[in-house]
Amino acid sequence: MSRALLSRVWTSARFLTGDWKGQYQPEEVIFEVTTGCNLACPMCARTHLPEPGPVKTMSLGSFEQLAGRLPASVERVAIAGLGEPLLNRDLPNMVGALTSLGLGSVLY
């Protein structure tokens, strides 16, 4: 049984037996791997920020460290935010790291 399925069964059992106590376990987390963007989309909040600040990019090492610390309930990682994830040169390796941990990935 996968870690995500096991976590979902355990969480569902706690909910159904009334042993919930308001402790929610995330199924998805969001990582912003860069704050940089080469576009100015009219519907994006970044376009309308008065001063977006300096561009910061997450390193592969930081990404792997954070991904390795995720709780068992997490099934997928959304790579999104106010930056354009495709500008991070380590993106393919980041997706590979998630895959090796048995996690899905979604780009927003």
Side-chain angles (χ1 to χ4, degrees):
M1 187 178 300
S2 73
R3 74 180 211 159
L5 181 59
L6 183 62
S7 176
R8 188 171 284 201
V9 168
W10 181 79
T11 302
S12 297
R14 286 185 57 214
F15 180 77
L16 293 171
T17 61
D19 184 31
W20 189 242
K21 299 180 183 156
Q23 296 179 4
Y24 297 96
Q25 296 294 316
E27 295 175 10
E28 180 177 280
V29 296
I30 300 171
F31 285 176
E32 182 165 1
V33 298
T34 185
T35 60
C37 186
N38 57 347
L39 301 172
C41 301
M43 70 288 205
C44 181
R46 181 177 173 79
T47 303
H48 304 288
L49 292 174
E51 185 64 40
V55 172
K56 295 185 180 180
T57 302
M58 184 182 291
S59 70
L60 178 59
S62 294
F63 184 90
E64 290 174 333
Q65 183 182 23
L66 289 171
R69 295 174 46 200
L70 293 173
S73 62
V74 174
E75 298 175 8
R76 67 196 159 276
V77 173
I79 301 174
L82 291 178
E84 172 51 61
L86 295 173
L87 294 178
N88 188 318
R89 294 182 187 270
D90 287 323
L91 185 63
N93 294 324
M94 291 173 171
V95 172
L98 294 174
T99 302
S100 70
L101 292 170
L103 296 168
S105 57
V106 180
L107 289 173
Y108 291 128

